Amino acid sequence: RNVFCAELSNLVDVNRICGNDSGDRVYKKLSEIMNDALSSAGSDNIVMRYRGSLLIGYINGITALESVDILFKILYLVKDYSADSGIDSLPELVFNAAVYPEKKGTNAGRNIEIARSIMFQGSDGKTGHVAFLKNPEQRINEKDFDRRGGLNEGLISVIS
């Protein structure tokens, strides 16, 4: 299975500019978009709120690259909603996500943190993206992180 992390990185801006009610509408719509996209790939896929606006989940029964395709589809559905939401002054929503293929015998919490690191490493703060390992078979170890806790950029691919 593949673990993923996702977020709307500018949800705080949406709340500040458009109000909390609009932020709640946006977050609810994101949940609908994600649930629809994930359920189309299989009924045992799941997304859940983790911390703040961070979402985590599992995509089962398909490859890491197929999981990237699903998240990339979500990115474009979020962009479309951003343009056609009917919410006045809504800034373009910035959806970021990352996929990390779990390996047998690994810790789920650690895998979530690795997916989160991949997502943040690929972020420029302005453009939505989906990040993933160049080699999905690679197992991430402590040596793959720098002293600041960032993942080696040479291991990651980003599409936006």
Side-chain angles (χ1 to χ4, degrees), residues 75-85:
L75 182 145
Y76 272 89
L77 290 170
V78 167
K79 282 185 179 184
D80 289 347
Y81 171 72
S82 186
D84 299 328
S85 68

Short mmCIF file of all heavy atoms in Angstrom, two decimals, residues 75-85:
data_model
loop_
_atom_site.label_atom_id
_atom_site.label_comp_id
_atom_site.label_asym_id
_atom_site.label_seq_id
_atom_site.Cartn_x
_atom_site.Cartn_y
_atom_site.Cartn_z
N LEU A 75 -5.24 17.37 -7.47
CA LEU A 75 -4.65 18.71 -7.58
C LEU A 75 -5.41 19.54 -8.62
O LEU A 75 -5.77 20.68 -8.35
CB LEU A 75 -3.17 18.59 -7.97
CG LEU A 75 -2.38 19.89 -8.08
CD1 LEU A 75 -0.94 19.66 -7.61
CD2 LEU A 75 -2.36 20.44 -9.48
N TYR A 76 -5.69 18.96 -9.78
CA TYR A 76 -6.40 19.70 -10.82
C TYR A 76 -7.88 19.91 -10.50
O TYR A 76 -8.45 20.94 -10.85
CB TYR A 76 -6.19 19.07 -12.20
CG TYR A 76 -4.94 19.66 -12.79
CD1 TYR A 76 -3.70 19.09 -12.56
CD2 TYR A 76 -4.99 20.86 -13.49
CE1 TYR A 76 -2.54 19.68 -13.04
CE2 TYR A 76 -3.85 21.46 -13.98
CZ TYR A 76 -2.63 20.85 -13.75
OH TYR A 76 -1.49 21.45 -14.22
N LEU A 77 -8.51 18.98 -9.81
CA LEU A 77 -9.89 19.19 -9.38
C LEU A 77 -9.98 20.32 -8.36
O LEU A 77 -10.93 21.11 -8.38
CB LEU A 77 -10.47 17.89 -8.81
CG LEU A 77 -10.72 16.78 -9.83
CD1 LEU A 77 -11.06 15.47 -9.13
CD2 LEU A 77 -11.83 17.17 -10.80
N VAL A 78 -8.98 20.42 -7.48
CA VAL A 78 -8.93 21.52 -6.51
C VAL A 78 -8.72 22.84 -7.24
O VAL A 78 -9.37 23.85 -6.91
CB VAL A 78 -7.83 21.27 -5.45
CG1 VAL A 78 -7.56 22.52 -4.63
CG2 VAL A 78 -8.23 20.11 -4.55
N LYS A 79 -7.85 22.87 -8.24
CA LYS A 79 -7.65 24.10 -9.03
C LYS A 79 -8.95 24.52 -9.73
O LYS A 79 -9.30 25.69 -9.74
CB LYS A 79 -6.55 23.90 -10.08
CG LYS A 79 -5.16 23.98 -9.54
CD LYS A 79 -4.15 23.90 -10.66
CE LYS A 79 -2.74 24.00 -10.12
NZ LYS A 79 -1.74 24.02 -11.18
N ASP A 80 -9.67 23.54 -10.29
CA ASP A 80 -10.94 23.84 -10.95
C ASP A 80 -11.95 24.40 -9.95
O ASP A 80 -12.64 25.38 -10.25
CB ASP A 80 -11.52 22.59 -11.62
CG ASP A 80 -10.74 22.15 -12.84
OD1 ASP A 80 -9.90 22.93 -13.34
OD2 ASP A 80 -10.96 21.00 -13.28
N TYR A 81 -12.03 23.80 -8.78
CA TYR A 81 -12.94 24.29 -7.76
C TYR A 81 -12.56 25.71 -7.33
O TYR A 81 -13.42 26.57 -7.14
CB TYR A 81 -12.95 23.37 -6.54
CG TYR A 81 -13.72 23.95 -5.38
CD1 TYR A 81 -15.11 24.02 -5.42
CD2 TYR A 81 -13.07 24.45 -4.26
CE1 TYR A 81 -15.83 24.57 -4.38
CE2 TYR A 81 -13.78 25.01 -3.20
CZ TYR A 81 -15.15 25.06 -3.27
OH TYR A 81 -15.86 25.61 -2.24
N SER A 82 -11.28 25.95 -7.22
CA SER A 82 -10.78 27.27 -6.83
C SER A 82 -11.29 28.35 -7.79
O SER A 82 -11.68 29.43 -7.37
CB SER A 82 -9.25 27.24 -6.83
OG SER A 82 -8.70 28.42 -6.34
N ALA A 83 -11.33 28.02 -9.07
CA ALA A 83 -11.77 28.99 -10.09
C ALA A 83 -13.28 29.14 -10.13
O ALA A 83 -13.79 30.21 -10.46
CB ALA A 83 -11.25 28.56 -11.46
N ASP A 84 -14.03 28.09 -9.78
CA ASP A 84 -15.48 28.08 -9.93
C ASP A 84 -16.24 27.92 -8.62
O ASP A 84 -17.39 27.47 -8.63
CB ASP A 84 -15.90 26.95 -10.88
CG ASP A 84 -15.31 27.11 -12.27
OD1 ASP A 84 -15.12 28.26 -12.69
OD2 ASP A 84 -15.03 26.08 -12.91
N SER A 85 -15.65 28.28 -7.51
CA SER A 85 -16.26 28.01 -6.20
C SER A 85 -17.44 28.90 -5.88
O SER A 85 -18.29 28.54 -5.06
CB SER A 85 -15.22 28.18 -5.10
OG SER A 85 -14.87 29.56 -4.99
#
